[in-house]
């Protein structure tokens, strides 16, 4: 029997298993899905874009390191990074370019525990039309529960 992955209705998804959720006027949180974190296994480090950097829809903006290796993070939308969730990713001991978990304490990133609460970056954009190019929750759920 295959695992049933959580897919929330209040956001849209990419084919590469990132999500985007509107959180304010022209503001969006970006993170990875339950399916992605489960397939990556234990996440050890995340390289995040810096505040002020621009990200482009469907282009890489960061990297996630896990038990399975390194994977690129692909942006679901284009815009400017206005916040980074350094404090919400778990027990972080390095707040430089790479945020690493405290491997000695055994605590993993909150991404593994709560992937829909542990957003990675906040992006500002005035082009909400680009959300139409993403996958709605129903189609995403069908995709991942068939793969």
């Amino acid at each position: 029997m295959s695992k049933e992955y959580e897919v929330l209705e209040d956001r849209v998804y990419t084919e590469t298993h990132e999500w985007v959720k509107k959180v304010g006027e022209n503001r969006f949180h970006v993170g990875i899905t339950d399916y992605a974190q489960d397939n990556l296994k234990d996440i050890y480090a995340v390289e995040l874009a810096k505040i002020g950097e621009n990200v482009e829809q469907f282009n890489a903006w960061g990297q996630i390191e896990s038990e399975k290796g390194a994977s690129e993070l692909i942006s679901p939308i284009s815009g400017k990074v206005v916040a980074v969730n350094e404090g919400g990713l778990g027990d972080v001991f390095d707040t430089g370019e790479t945020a690493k978990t405290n491997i000695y304490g055994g605590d993993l990133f909150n991404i593994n525990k709560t992937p829909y609460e542990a957003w990675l970056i906040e992006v500002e954009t005035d082009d909400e039309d680009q959300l139409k190019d993403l996958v709605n929750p129903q189609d995403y759920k069908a995709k991942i529960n068939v793969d």
Side-chain angles (χ1 to χ4, degrees), residues 51-70:
I51 294 173
E53 286 184 352
N54 289 316
V55 293
E56 296 294 324
Q57 188 175 41
F58 306 129
N59 287 323
W61 62 267
Q63 184 170 287
I64 196 160
E65 294 176 33
S66 72
E67 186 178 324
K68 291 274 190 156

Side-chain angles (χ1 to χ4, degrees), residues 11-12 18-22 28-30 76-77 131 134:
R11 59 203 72 207
V12 289
E18 289 85 13
W19 57 261
V20 61
K21 175 185 177 185
K22 186 170 185 171
F28 298 85
H29 282 170
V30 174
I77 57 174
L131 297 176
L134 301 174

Side-chain angles (χ1 to χ4, degrees), residues 107-123:
D107 287 336
L108 298 174
F109 270 132
N110 288 335
I111 299 168
N112 283 118
K113 298 173 189 171
T114 55
Y116 293 118
E117 293 173 26
W119 56 275
L120 301 173
I121 59 172
E122 185 172 316
V123 177

Side-chain angles (χ1 to χ4, degrees), residues 1 4 22-26 29 35-37 47 78 82 86 90 92 103 110 135 147:
M1 183 172 175
E4 183 84 11
K22 186 170 185 171
V23 294
E25 182 78 24
N26 297 331
H29 282 170
Y35 177 88
Q37 72 77 25
E47 184 179 324
S78 296
V82 294
E86 287 180 357
V92 175
I103 56 175
N110 288 335
V135 182
D147 286 355

Side-chain angles (χ1 to χ4, degrees), residues 115-146:
Y116 293 118
E117 293 173 26
W119 56 275
L120 301 173
I121 59 172
E122 185 172 316
V123 177
E124 182 177 61
T125 182
D126 57 4
D127 181 12
E128 286 192 40
D129 283 346
Q130 60 188 315
L131 297 176
K132 295 175 186 173
D133 297 329
L134 301 174
V135 182
N136 69 48
Q138 298 77 20
D139 290 346
Y140 183 72
K141 189 170 193 171
K143 173 186 171 45
I144 63 172
N145 288 321
V146 168

